[in-house]
Amino acid sequence: HKGGVICISEVIDISPFIPACWWDQQIDFYTTFLNYLAQVVPEIYFAEMDPDLEKQEESIQRSIFTPLEWYLFGEDPDICLEKLKHSGAFQLCGKVFKSGETTYSCRDCAIDPTCVLCMDCFQNSVHKNHRYKMHTSTGGGFCDCGDTEAWKTGPFCISHEPGRAGTTKENLRCPLNEEVIAQARKIFPSVIKYIVEMTIWEEEKELPPELQKREKNDRYYCVLFNDEHHSYDHVIYSLQRALDCELAEAQVHTTAIDKEGRRAVKAGAFAACQEAKEDIKSHSENVSQHPLHVEVLHSEVMAHQKFALRLGSWMNKIMSYSSDFRQIFCQACLREEPGSENPCLISRLMLWDAKLYKGARKILHELIFSSFFMEMEYKKFFAMEFVKYYKQLQKDYISDDHDRSISITALSVQMFTVPTLARHLIEEQNVISVITETLLEVLPEYLDRNNKFNFQGYSQDKLGRVYAVICDLKYILISKPTVWTERLRMQFLEGFRSFLKILTCMQGMEEIRRQVGQHIEVDPDWEAAIAIQMQLKNILLMFQEWCACDEELLLVAYKECHKAVMRCSTGFKSSSKTVIQLCGHTLETKSYKVSEDLVSIHLPLSRTLAGLHVRLSRLGAVSRLHEFVPFDFQVEVLVEYPLRCLVLVAQVVAEMWRRNGLSLISQVFYYQDVKCREEMYDKDIIMLQIGASLMDPNKFLLLVLHRYELADAFNKTISIKDQDLVKQYNTLIEEMLQVLIYIVGERYVPGVGNVTKEEVTMREIIHLLCIEPMPHSAIAKNLPENENNETGLESVINKVATFKKPGVSGHGVYELKDESLKDFNMYFYHYSKTQHSKAEHMQKKRRKQENKDEALPPPPPPEFCPAFSKAVNLLNCDIMMYILRTIFERAVDPDSNLWTEGMLQMAFHILALGLLEEKQQLQKCPEEEVMFDFYHKASRLGSSAMNAQNIQMLLEKLKGIPQLEGQKDMIMWILQMFDTVKRLREKSCLIVATTSGSDSIKNDEITHDKEKAERKRKAEAARLHRQKIMAQMSALQKNFIETHKLMYDSTSEMSGKEDSIMEEESTPAVNDYSRIALGPKRGPSITEKEVLTCILCQEEQEVKIENNAMVLSACVQKSTALTQHRGKPIELSGETMDPLFMDADLAYGTYTGSCGHVMHAVCWQKYFEAVQLSSQQRIHVDLFDLESGEYLCPLCKSLCNTVIPIIPLQHQKISSENTEPLAQLLTLERWIQTVLARITGYNMKHAKGENPTIPVLFDQGMGDSTLEFHSILSYGVQSSLNYSNSIKEMVLLFATTIYRIGLKVPPDETDPRIPMMTWSTCAFTIQAIENLLGDEGKPLFGALQNRQHNGLKALMQFAIAQRITCSQVLIQKHLIRLLSVVLPNLQSEATPCLLSIDLFHVLVGTVLAFPSLYWDDAVDLQPSPVSSSYNHLYLFHLITMAHMLQILLTIDTGLPLAQIQEESEEARSASSFLAEISQYTSGCIGCGIPGWYLWVSLKNGIIPYLRCAALFFHYLLGVTPPEELFTNAAEGEYNALCSYLSLPTNLFLLFQKYWDTVRPLLQRWCTDPALLYCLKQKSTVVRYPRKRNSLIELPDDYSCLLNQASHFRCPRSADDERKHPVLCLFCGAILCSQNICCQEVVNGEEVGACIFHALHCGAGVCIFLKIRECRVVLVEGKARGCAYPAPYLDEYGETDPGLKRGNPLHLSHERYRKLHLVWQQHCIIEEIARSQETNQMLFGFNWQLL
């Protein structure tokens, strides 16, 4: 082995031990290792194009990893690793999230929202019972279980608990001996170095010298890399063109590129690959601006790069076993190479990250997670390296095009949010400055000449990447330090100064000027600036919070911020001045007009200063300001910019800026919106409050008037004629008054007023709920979130509101408690215009209902903090009085138009505020100390003129103006307040001030009470008056009835019978005797004259068979609602199907439902043609498929695809005189013989030409063959019905639709299967409705909905007509096949086994087809009522007996036989009957079953069949059923069914009655070999009663479902990329939705897994739950579906689609039940159509690939 080269042939088959021994002898492990790899690796990774992965993996293990592990451990690695595995649990979980996994955070215990748990840790932790949140990971996160810094409590789940049994300290360290550690120190650095070198290797053709083999091959690959510019289709297109390959191959390549990040698409010599590279580039440039990234790599380079990553995964595995390995790995990564200027290995990897492809990044990030992040100490070192290169990393990321989740920069959240680590990085590396400087370095491209940002024409992607840097700043600041060191303070201030530089670039950015004359041409981009403002909102708040931790720090920060604002306002002092005068006050200020000069809405510096000022006020340190900010505090300058901003808003409201387009309106919206207002609008109001508290009030008001450009408007003499201008002035005055109200009245900010955070939140909630009751999510959306995404809502909501639970739909809402109403302030500053008017309206309405006055005065505000207390002086300064008086004077003056009611309301509000303030002050201090003399100033006269008036006089005048009726109450309230304050002032002159308070209030109340009493009196008078009138009327009524007494008595008795009398004059009243549907005692059919109105032309028409057809809109659909064999394979096309017999498991039926709306056939045809026409002219995707006859019902918009002709019931009456003699003659035996004779005759006729092969029907003692072909006619016939052509046409149309949809075949009016499908849908529809009624526990007839009733009636009458309009020969053939089931003499090969078919379908088919036996070429006859009553009776009895046999043969004997009852007569006959048939079945059926058990099973098993038969015969014949079937009496139901269907209640008596006839039949039935075979196949037989289908059971807690989904692996793909697991609610299968891997091809079209599953599971109709999104999806067919609210609700009764809110969810059984009913009522298609009708989209969701 000289020279360190082993020949390959040896390597492959030597034992792994040999290389290990040989490595041991070498001095330089690195070189030896590389030489070895140079030989082995290219051999293993030879076939890059289509590798044999298993073989590759096996040879890597054998020739590289196993030797390495031997070398590391010095003994058999498997034994060692097994020992290590049991040596101790980690304390950290360290699971890395993949995209789409569910993560959990705890709102009670997490330090911040980024602390999350993986599914397993969460399920095993204490947080499961806390207020947790569920979220879907975007990938790349890390489970924080075991990190004590992340959780306030419960940091460990059960499996990571440190003190678990068997993991004591000593035994944690035991297995790793010194030698292994020494070996690791030798091996790891070489492995890491190789990984890093190969990963960042740039040469495409060469390898490092150590890896070069002597002979070099010339095999190259053309490698295509992933990027985010090109879509799937672009890449597939380019590959197909360039490589001339098949679509499938191109798709395989593309999928691999998307997943791995790169893929070799061609192999060959260098020139060939180079050519392919150029081809791909040029083809991809045709499609988009950027060419695809393609490289040509030498095959060995490719091999080593692949292997380096595989080696990375191996390191991951090894490190997971021991903390020592991790530490050695980290040390090796951090070691800088002596003498080279390269950074350490891990930093080289980080810096190369943006150049790597997806697959490589993933593995390297996993390496970092499993090493550095699992060891706290090394996490710190890694963070320091990260911050060292932070700027470079972020810049690379910003110019890279890969997603954030696979960039190294995404790891910042793992480090910056750890409180101790964050503090360390601030102190040691000043990370705040690093981040802010990075921002300043990546944003300069957006700076304009004045050094302000301007984001016009920005690229959204790039700016989106900058947000990541802003986010890092938030992470660093998220937990406030509790202990401040000197160094921390210094570094933080440094960072704060650096941050102020960014704000300086934003202060006044994107200035705008009002457009005059023409509209703006292009709306400027405003989104970027607002988006950055939103990103910064919480950061600004957190900086303010950090500053406020400490008084000194706050004052220094304030000084810095003040300096910055002043620097930005230099232009303010220099320019020209104007002077304003009013009421003897003057103000000199800069001449500036918002409506003419530049103005900006972005003022983060001013607003930060306002925030710091409030925090100073909270600490009570405002008094020390002068030490830090010297004389030039210049409050006018500070107020100026926020004031301009508010004026801009006012002018936008006054429509002065409407030529500036939408962008300004949007900005103003966000300025006041909850997402931004805390750092925009709210702070501007605070800044004005600061101004008001520091400036002279008159000067402040002059400044406001001037900036609002209203100084002229308050000139006495002004008169304006132009209406638009008047409107504009009025709006501006209103807006200004509103802002003044806010400045004086809005004190709910801690630091402005004496309030707490909770009180602020409570007030927000109260005002939201004053608008209307709201659900929890709506309230939360309207409250500002803090940096932890909390609103503080839960802690206070129950103090002010009560929760109302939701019903089956809708959501729970909170309603305001009555005692909170007193806090309603009409001018609440967070109301939008609409909210304000809505709230005002609601509150006035409420007060009216309670009979109170409608005044809505302001609630007494809390006190201002000392720093702001001077702001109230605005209320009683001269100019304010002047403004109020002017407004009132104008309102009194009939000629003035410069006032509005809204303006007056605001003026009243200001008056009220002033009076309340004075009253509060008077009640607190002695009168002579109260300087606030609002009352005095308001009662002064306006001027010395003769007719001068004070405010009180003006108010008295206003009371009399009729237009102001609505304000009367408010004026009264104010005048009373004047009174109160006046008395408080006067009293206090005489008596000591303390008593004054209570007295005045009493007086106040007295006047109030007077008013109340007055109102009460009026209300009472009105009530008495009403009572009197009512009494008079009822007396008159009585009188009338007395005089016409006789008439009244008789009518009340008649009403019960009159229905029956009107219907049929000749029939006596319906009594019980006639409530029998079958046999000679059949009751009369109740036929009423039906007159229906067409919903299209509104004309009425009577339904008759000779008239033109009327039709019902209806929908025919395939259904599996009753299946006993879910997922039974379905024939996708029914070309070969024979639908005459229905399988006993009812796997697929055809259901016909109607919405019950009637049209003329002609009207419907016109309507349908019109729909077709209009759809050809429309562009959007059609909701319904016109090809297959679909349309929406014109009235109720249900989806329909056909119409049912409405055919009247033919009245048939049996005359009793004929029935008696017949009863003697026509026994069952005789009847069967007659029928068989008739059939034999037919067969002879049909077989005339051939040798007659007549079945021998009359053996086995079936009686004499004297019976004749015509004898069936002798029992009574009548002529057949004649239908109008219009009806026949509709019958054919409907029958063809049933055939087409039921069999999924093209329509064919001549197909012999049409009548079979008609009978089948009749039977199935009845079964479905019976099942639904039974499921809901409703009576059979009493609870049918109108649409079900009309639909069934029309369906049965249609079935009769369909037989008449069909070829009778065909019907006879079908009938013979149907009868062959119960009459064995007719059996042929095709006759199915008795147990495998559904006998109710046979019953329906035979009854409907039977009249065809009466038909002959010569005459068109049908049975008379008498003979048909016998036919029905005998058919029904025969089939019932066969069904009883079915039930008894399939009885479930495995049940516990617990109850022993006394043997009843039924039980005895059951035992003897079973004994009888067990003789025939040759012991296939046991005899040991007790009789009572047989009887109970039989009765339960047969009831559904009897109920179906009752529905069938009722709608066929129209005989009224017994009363018990209309009510919900379970006990009477069975007997009533028996009597209606002419059955004995002991069903076994049927056999006794017909024993001689039936016994041979029974024998033949039971000895059928097919039947015996069925019985042996125990598993497959259907038992009766069939089980009711329901949706699958769902867990109560939604996280259990998420848990199931997290363990779901796609059956077809090995990777763990993001999947969309979807749960089928019919059968519980979990499918992999919307993913190429699971698509299927059906009839040449690609469909997704769900659609494919639905075809088999629900005949195309299905309900799915998308587990990761908590959405229910209804689908139908291939291309239709809709979303439906999921049955999971949070504690506030709301659903959470997409898990956006992430609250814990629990199953709502009512909602789930509702979903179940939607399915069982066959309304899924209807729901889909409705939802698509309401959400019409131009391009809908592609349901086909679901």
Side-chain angles (χ1 to χ4, degrees), residues 1372-1509:
Q1372 289 165 0
K1373 282 185 181 154
H1374 293 335
L1375 175 65
I1376 295 170
R1377 279 183 58 203
L1378 283 168
L1379 285 172
S1380 71
V1381 177
V1382 284
L1383 298 177
N1385 307 39
L1386 297 172
Q1387 259 181 17
S1388 63
E1389 284 77 67
T1391 305
C1393 143
L1394 186 65
L1395 289 184
S1396 67
I1397 54 171
D1398 175 57
L1399 284 174
F1400 179 65
H1401 275 71
V1402 174
L1403 173 71
V1404 172
T1406 50
V1407 168
L1408 289 170
F1410 202 80
S1412 66
L1413 287 182
Y1414 287 74
W1415 178 86
D1416 208 338
D1417 297 333
V1419 281
D1420 189 1
L1421 295 173
Q1422 61 176 23
S1424 66
V1426 176
S1427 45
S1428 66
S1429 71
Y1430 275 105
N1431 296 340
H1432 292 166
L1433 180 72
Y1434 288 142
L1435 281 172
F1436 177 64
H1437 281 179
L1438 259 179
I1439 292 171
T1440 305
M1441 289 189 278
H1443 186 44
M1444 288 168 66
L1445 182 67
Q1446 259 186 338
I1447 297 172
L1448 290 170
L1449 287 179
T1450 57
I1451 208 159
D1452 190 359
T1453 50
L1455 291 181
L1457 308 175
Q1459 66 193 104
I1460 298 294
Q1461 296 181 341
E1462 68 291 349
E1463 289 284 291
S1464 57
E1465 171 204 352
E1466 287 95 339
R1468 279 196 294 283
S1469 34
S1471 301
S1472 54
F1473 179 71
L1474 196 68
E1476 188 71 42
I1477 53 176
S1478 60
Q1479 298 168 15
Y1480 309 138
T1481 57
S1482 58
C1484 269
I1485 185 132
C1487 299
I1489 313 170
W1492 64 265
Y1493 178 70
L1494 285 173
W1495 170 240
V1496 168
S1497 307
L1498 174 78
K1499 193 170 155 182
N1500 290 338
I1502 204 164
I1503 279 181
Y1505 164 82
L1506 297 180
R1507 285 169 49 118
C1508 290

Side-chain angles (χ1 to χ4, degrees), residues 601-622:
I601 205 163
H602 299 283
L603 306 167
L605 274 179
S606 307
R607 291 164 187 157
T608 304
L609 191 65
L612 294 174
H613 195 96
V614 170
R615 285 173 172 75
L616 270 181
S617 154
R618 268 172 89 175
L619 291 177
V622 179

